[in-house]
Amino acid sequence: MKPVYVLGVGAHPWGKWPNKPQVALAVEALQAAFMDAGIGWPQVEGMVAASSRFEGGMGWGLHANEVVQTVSEQGIPCINVGGACAAGVIAFHTAWAMIASGQHDAVAVVGAERMPKGFIPRPPGSQDDISDSDYLRWVAMGATNPAYWALEAQRRFHEYGTTPETLALAAVQMRSNAAGNPYARYREPLTVAEVLASPMVSDPLHLLQICPVSDGAAALVLGSERFLAHVDRDPVQVAGCAVGSGQFGDPARRIPTIANNVLPGVAHTSEVVGAVSRALKMAGMGPRDVDILEMADNSAWHLLAWPELFGIVEPGQSDWMLARGRYARDGDLALNPGGGFLSFGEATTAQAVLQLCELTWQLRGEAEGRQVAGAKVGLSAVLGLGANGGSVVLKR
Amino acid sequence: MMHEAKSFVVDGLMAEGSEGVRLCASSCGGCGSVYFPRTVSCRNPDCSSTSLEEKLLEGRGILYSYTIQRYQPPNLFRIDNWEPYALGLVDLPEGIRVMGMLSGFDLDNIRIGETVKLISECLFTDPDRGKVMTYKFAPEITGRDAQ
């Protein structure tokens, strides 16, 4: 395989953008990434988009086609990949493979999203019967997404003695990280007392410990060695890159299922743990080589659990790490130094692309207002519906 | 009479016999894996059997975790007289962990590790369907009485 580099990154700030269609957010993010890479449309040899089910893509998830038909009809391959909240990393993986295989020298990746208000509705065409878990979980027990994360958090309280204060501190840390990040939607500082005073949604998760939804877009350009001559800065290289799906016997409470087979020895959240493990192996690294972890914090619980699942710290050690500032930007592991999903609100298909933009800015030393000093290795991790997992290792 | 009628919230999810409510599951003829709800194929990658049998689960198990829904879920969840309720995750002896509503617990005093049993309760009453029932897990009273 040929080495692959991140040539340029760009994003549209997260928020609610009622006056910009999804495709406009996508185009703005791409233009920023092209400008950052110092290249233009004529050099782009392929477009990979994370397919959204909410807006754009002509209703068929054809978001890459929609972008080129909007901006530059130049005959390049347009590839649209599904993967729900993990679609962004699957798009990245696809673009990486297009270059690593030697087929192309520069490929763009985009994820752009405008989210519906409130609870995410079931997709049209779903079956109202026992074959659809997403139907069952609503009609038989009214299980919301936060309820799934809350069941995990409550179990953690039981197993490791995690306290409400520590769980609140995870949300406080994310806000503190986001304070200087112009792309984050929620930047006002929070205190533990404020988190605990926010409404209880699904015990033990309070409102401020659950990621909301936002609109946003992120893009990047990947390229081969041939394009490095265009870039006058230290290149960020894709050291490892993997996607995967779930293992039978995984004990994680997987949305939207209502039951799972639990077998001993199977990793929790196996789709993500498996992808992380293979991405690190490809990079020739171990979990403790990671300086920055950009991970999907759909809830405050995830921030405690995932670094342990990846082997970066021991099971149950996250509480201690967090309380002592070891997950802060100047700690042993910088955990979501840009603020994470809790400070952005999830723009589903764009989120995993943004993670890789953030790692690139950090590794280049360009993460103004949130820079992790001297970071050399960044790891991303994301989970999507359908037991999709993905992970990328970037290095400087 | 119409108001005496009773139905289950989803066809094929649960069944009620002389011994009470049961969960409708599938059991693999090859590896013995049990699936709830019923499914079309065994998904154990180490098993190539194509034979699935129907199986009813008694639903007595151990509470693995729980949460309390403080806000009313969206309209797809239909319930009469909504108020906050507990959801639980229960380990059944068949090797599966099942999620469901809890009943009969004091919301401030739910204990992980407690033995629970399966019951059915009415979610809402509908003019066409009568009492619409779902399955729930309730404290195993016998164990408490023995203390």
Side-chain angles (χ1 to χ4, degrees), chain A residues 88-217:
Chain A
V89 74
I90 300 173
F92 182 98
H93 183 269
T94 304
W96 165 79
M98 289 167 77
I99 297 165
S101 66
Q103 283 187 79
H104 296 283
D105 286 305
V107 176
V109 177
V110 66
E113 199 78 88
R114 285 209 309 181
M115 297 294 290
K117 280 184 184 162
F119 284 102
I120 295 173
R122 292 172 68 225
S126 302
Q127 296 296 307
D128 286 354
D129 64 27
I130 200 166
S131 68
D132 185 7
S133 287
D134 202 18
Y135 179 69
L136 291 181
R137 61 111 163 209
W138 288 122
V139 299
M141 62 195 75
T144 61
N145 287 6
Y148 282 77
W149 307 322
L151 287 165
E152 301 275 17
Q154 193 72 57
R155 182 68 193 185
R156 183 180 178 92
F157 279 27
H158 177 75
E159 282 185 9
Y160 297 129
T162 296
T163 62
E165 289 74 20
T166 304
L167 197 62
L169 189 57
V172 170
Q173 176 81 66
M174 288 303 103
R175 281 296 183 86
S176 160
N177 290 358
N181 188 350
Y183 297 100
R185 179 176 175 191
Y186 302 99
R187 285 175 256 171
E188 311 76 20
L190 278 179
T191 64
V192 166
E194 284 169 329
V195 173
L196 294 178
S198 70
M200 185 68 91
V201 173
S202 198
D203 303 45
L205 294 178
H206 293 261
L207 184 65
L208 291 174
Q209 294 168 320
I210 298 166
C211 92
V213 294
S214 293
D215 307 336

Side-chain angles (χ1 to χ4, degrees), chain A residues 29-108:
Chain A
L30 278 163
Q31 282 167 343
F34 289 174
M35 186 174 291
D36 184 51
I39 67 172
W41 276 100
Q43 287 118 317
V44 175
E45 298 172 12
M47 171 71 59
V48 187
S51 291
S52 166
R53 57 163 280 218
F54 297 117
E55 184 180 328
M58 306 166 207
W60 289 79
L62 304 176
H63 293 78
N65 303 74
E66 192 170 46
V67 162
V68 299
Q69 289 186 356
T70 302
V71 183
S72 183
E73 295 184 292
Q74 56 186 40
I76 59 174
C78 286
I79 298 171
N80 305 283
V81 299
C85 301
V89 74
I90 300 173
F92 182 98
H93 183 269
T94 304
W96 165 79
M98 289 167 77
I99 297 165
S101 66
Q103 283 187 79
H104 296 283
D105 286 305
V107 176

Side-chain angles (χ1 to χ4, degrees), chain A residues 119 122 128-130 133-144 146-148 150-155 158-159 199-204 247-248 251 253 257-263, chain B residues 9-13 33-38 43-45 63-74 76-78 85 87-89 91 95-101 112 123 134-135:
Chain A
F119 284 102
R122 292 172 68 225
D128 286 354
D129 64 27
I130 200 166
S133 287
D134 202 18
Y135 179 69
L136 291 181
R137 61 111 163 209
W138 288 122
V139 299
M141 62 195 75
T144 61
Y148 282 77
L151 287 165
E152 301 275 17
Q154 193 72 57
R155 182 68 193 185
H158 177 75
E159 282 185 9
M200 185 68 91
V201 173
S202 198
D203 303 45
Q247 286 281 343
F248 183 66
R253 200 69 294 282
T257 66
I258 61 166
N260 53 324
N261 297 69
V262 178
L263 292 175
Chain B
V9 66
V10 182
D11 285 343
L13 187 68
S33 294
V34 171
Y35 300 99
F36 170 74
R38 280 184 182 149
R43 42 184 183 265
N44 178 357
L63 188 66
Y64 179 83
S65 192
Y66 67 93
T67 184
I68 297 158
Q69 295 267 67
R70 301 284 174 180
Y71 287 82
Q72 186 163 1
L76 200 51
F77 178 61
R78 200 169 151 196
Y85 63 91
L87 273 174
L89 201 49
D91 274 332
I96 58 173
R97 195 167 282 162
V98 177
M99 196 157 80
M101 295 171 75
I112 286 174
L123 271 178
T134 194
Y135 72 85

